[in-house]
Amino acid sequence: MRISFAELKLPTSGVLVLLVDAEVRLSVSAKAVDKATKGALARALDAAKFAGKKGESLSVIAPQGREKLTVLLVGAGKAKDLDCLRAQEIGAQVGKALNAVSGSSATLVSEMFGARAGGPELAANLALGARLRSYSYDKYLTKSGGRARSDGIDRLQVMVKGARDARRRYGVLGAVADGVDVARDLVSEPSNVKSPKWMAAQCRKLTKLGVKVEVLGEAQMRKLGMNALLAVGQGSVRESQLVIMRWNGGGKDAKTVSFIGKGVTFDTGGISIKPAGGMEDMIWDMGGAGTVIGAMRAIAGRKAKANVIGVVGLVENMPDGNAQRPGDIVTTMSGQTVEVINTDAEGRLVLADALWYTQKRFKPDAMIDFATLTGAIMVALGREYAGLYASDEELAKNFVAASQDVGEKVWRMPLDEAYDLQINTPRADMKNVGPRWGGSITAAQFLQRYTNGVPWAHIDIAGVAWSDKEQPLMARGATGFAVRTLDQFVRNHYET
Ligand code: BES
Ligand code: MN
Ligand code: ZN
């Protein structure tokens, strides 16, 4: 959805969206339209018992006096509860409602709550919500094959007193939404298209925004000793890739934060093959990489004054004559050896080398990795919260705070030496799976062995990278989880 801003001037045709508050009911604009239509809005609200609750909507089509107008009334809840996050949710409600209205553009009036909610900041947040919620992945819907692409509204003009200010604010928020959409597009892409090289090509597109992008192929990774990552990809005919993205907006003396993503473009489980039921979900096993690439897009898009490094390990986990076997022992880039008990515990093998590489080459002030790492995190937290593990209290606190600022749910999980001991094995320095219980924790303990003491956090997003149900700001499907948190985290702690 394309967003623009304008000063208030009520249109007499097209689609007009008006917010209705649970207490105030009709805004000044709504009253004007009501008057011009001989009370049609008030009558419709009354007849529908519309209470202005968040999530309610009602359309009034071609009312007498404004025959060319479709008025969409959207409930906004109590004005006094309104803040930026709420404004995003209300905007999302508008975006959702507009997906079902035919036409190409609509106008949303942001003035009903008086000075505060009429303000540019809230207008920009309404726009962000509408933009995020209107996303749909319709790339592979054809007119010929039945269901067509949605022909809902794709342009939204937001009318607000102080349009210039709102436009400036949305310049920043819109760049973040671009990042979220990049992550959602990547995660949604089917794996016949989405090879490691295809993913690397998508990363290269960030060059246009000033991101320095480097791509390592298998030969280079072999030289570096990244045998754990390479072992995962060795059963695939598609070449594994490691992509390094650098955004230097902060200048020489600024701190550097690094984001590392698991990018398994399809996870069959390898020789420890997964059962058929639900295996198609493994197209989103590159969700961690999607988060990192989306975050780089957001940060570069809004020209953040910060130094940020993104590293993604891109591999396909396939069973094949050349695939790794259970019982294999691989030597990671760190020099530590791993006995591969289960080839389906592949994400940690990829991240082990990506983490080691990142800290060794860049000596970052912090590393944060994202991975659809374990089914076990879903057993623990369901599909609502992502699991956070951290070696550093301050980093954990700051990450949680940033996630709360943008309304993404993250829950701290424990690290403990007692869990760490559970991945020891007589035949190598460690094995790649622990005992049955606490599978998400032992996976995190495994990763920690590759952080070399650098302050580190790990976010297991297996439960949240994809949503089977609608979310406040998102339609079903890929969520782009943590792109907004990362942007906020950088804003809070790394901008100079
Ligand atoms: N990619 C999966 C985890 C996953 C499961 C993500 C479901 C999203 C939805 C991961 O590579 C995996 O297979 N993990 C195994 C680990 C086990 C073999 C120790 C798991 O969780 O079952
Ligand atoms: Mn797996
Ligand atoms: Zn996986």
Side-chain angles (χ1 to χ4, degrees):
M1 175 169 290
R2 274 185 295 145
I3 308 279
S4 61
F5 295 89
E7 294 296 327
L8 218 141
K9 181 171 177 293
L10 283 177
T12 53
S13 66
V15 179
L16 176 64
V17 186
L18 299 169
L19 303 176
V20 181
D21 165 42
E23 284 151 4
V24 181
R25 306 280 290 185
L26 291 185
S27 65
V28 177
S29 303
K31 274 191 189 129
V33 177
D34 193 52
K35 201 165 163 217
T37 58
K38 305 185 177 57
L41 300 193
R43 272 199 307 280
L45 289 171
D46 223 44
K49 298 199 166 52
F50 197 93
K53 272 188 272 174
K54 209 173 73 177
E56 259 179 312
S57 73
L58 174 68
S59 25
V60 181
I61 299 167
Q64 199 188 359
R66 286 285 182 271
E67 284 80 2
K68 289 185 191 142
L69 202 62
T70 295
V71 181
L72 182 63
L73 298 160
V74 174
K78 289 186 184 138
K80 65 172 166 33
D81 298 338
L82 199 65
D83 57 16
C84 288
L85 282 182
R86 269 277 309 275
Q88 288 170 24
E89 278 179 33
I90 294 162
Q93 213 56 53
V94 172
K96 182 187 173 185
L98 289 178
N99 272 358
V101 175
S102 63
S104 61
S105 65
T107 298
L108 163 67
V109 178
S110 169
E111 51 72 270
M112 69 168 296
F113 303 104
R116 186 163 170 254
E121 184 175 27
L122 287 159
N125 279 283
L126 283 170
L128 173 65
R131 158 83 194 272
L132 288 173
R133 185 59 183 77
S134 67
Y135 176 90
S136 73
Y137 188 71
D138 51 17
K139 185 174 171 185
Y140 292 102
L141 296 181
T142 71
K143 294 269 182 207
S144 56
R147 215 150 56 81
R149 290 183 184 209
S150 78
D151 47 16
I153 305 281
D154 64 2
R155 273 180 299 146
L156 180 66
Q157 184 182 56
V158 181
M159 287 185 165
V160 59
K161 192 157 175 290
R164 259 183 70 158
D165 190 8
R167 196 174 298 126
R168 183 183 57 78
R169 289 167 186 277
Y170 185 77
V172 174
L173 297 180
V176 178
D178 289 341
V180 175
D181 284 357
V182 162
R184 290 202 272 187
D185 283 345
L186 294 175
V187 168
S188 304
E189 191 70 30
S191 295
N192 52 335
V193 174
K194 184 167 59 184
S195 64
K197 278 194 169 159
W198 183 90
M199 287 286 295
Q202 308 311 304
C203 295
R204 278 205 186 89
K205 290 183 181 167
L206 297 178
T207 309
K208 278 204 292 278
L209 295 174
V211 178
K212 289 192 194 124
V213 181
E214 274 171 80
V215 180
L216 307 189
E218 289 185 354
Q220 286 154 296
M221 287 192 273
R222 195 157 295 118
K223 272 203 202 114
L224 288 162
M226 304 180 96
N227 299 309
L229 185 154
L230 290 169
V232 176
Q234 77 186 34
S236 170
V237 296
R238 293 160 160 189
E239 187 178 340
S240 302
Q241 311 271 287
L242 187 85
V243 181
I244 301 110
M245 294 161 279
R246 279 183 290 163
W247 172 254
N248 292 321
K252 279 211 164 26
D253 302 323
K255 292 183 291 182
T256 299
V257 65
S258 60
F259 306 145
I260 298 95
K262 168 181 172 181
V264 175
T265 60
F266 194 78
D267 180 14
T268 63
I271 296 301
S272 314
I273 198 163
K274 290 180 181 294
M279 202 202 273
E280 68 279 8
D281 285 350
M282 289 301 106
I283 69 165
W284 38 275
D285 210 21
M286 38 55 69
T291 296
V292 171
I293 298 164
M296 296 306 291
R297 174 76 163 84
I299 284 157
R302 69 172 180 83
K303 298 190 166 46
K305 292 189 169 54
N307 294 341
V308 184
I309 294 168
V311 174
V312 293
L314 305 167
V315 301
E316 186 179 51
N317 189 20
M318 298 292 268
D320 174 79
N322 194 46
Q324 67 172 335
R325 293 146 290 257
D328 283 5
I329 296 178
V330 295
T331 303
T332 63
M333 185 183 177
S334 72
Q336 301 175 94
T337 55
V338 180
E339 182 181 16
V340 179
I341 299 294
N342 188 321
T343 65
D344 198 10
E346 85 297 341
R348 65 200 74 181
L349 297 173
V350 173
L351 286 174
D353 281 337
L355 285 165
W356 190 263
Y357 176 86
T358 303
Q359 60 79 27
K360 187 174 175 198
R361 175 165 171 198
F362 297 109
K363 313 228 168 334
D365 294 281
M367 297 198 285
I368 309 181
D369 79 69
F370 296 84
T372 49
L373 202 63
T374 65
I377 196 63
M378 294 193 249
V379 176
L381 299 175
R383 301 291 300 269
E384 303 297 333
Y385 277 75
L388 161 70
Y389 297 85
S391 64
D392 185 274
E393 294 307 304
E394 175 109 346
L395 182 57
K397 201 179 86 214
N398 291 344
F399 190 87
V400 170
S403 77
Q404 286 169 346
D405 288 346
V406 301
E408 292 184 312
K409 295 179 193 167
V410 171
W411 197 259
R412 180 95 184 259
M413 300 284 288
L415 290 165
D416 192 300
E417 200 193 342
Y419 296 111
D420 184 64
L421 294 173
Q422 296 173 1
I423 54 172
N424 286 341
T425 177
R427 285 171 32 83
D429 296 334
M430 70 198 80
K431 52 187 176 179
N432 75 332
V433 295
R436 175 146 175 233
W437 307 116
S440 166
I441 308 174
T442 44
Q445 296 288 169
F446 183 98
L447 298 180
Q448 188 174 17
R449 293 188 181 200
Y450 295 87
T451 58
N452 206 13
V454 173
W456 156 81
H458 155 63
I459 327 295
D460 194 334
I461 58 169
V464 297
W466 190 277
S467 179
D468 292 328
K469 66 174 201 320
E470 213 180 296
Q471 302 287 330
L473 297 181
M474 305 282 170
R476 286 191 302 174
T479 59
F481 187 88
V483 170
R484 286 182 305 134
T485 295
L486 281 183
D487 171 72
Q488 187 69 36
F489 176 80
V490 166
R491 197 188 303 267
N492 292 353
H493 302 288
Y494 284 86
E495 302 239 7
T496 51

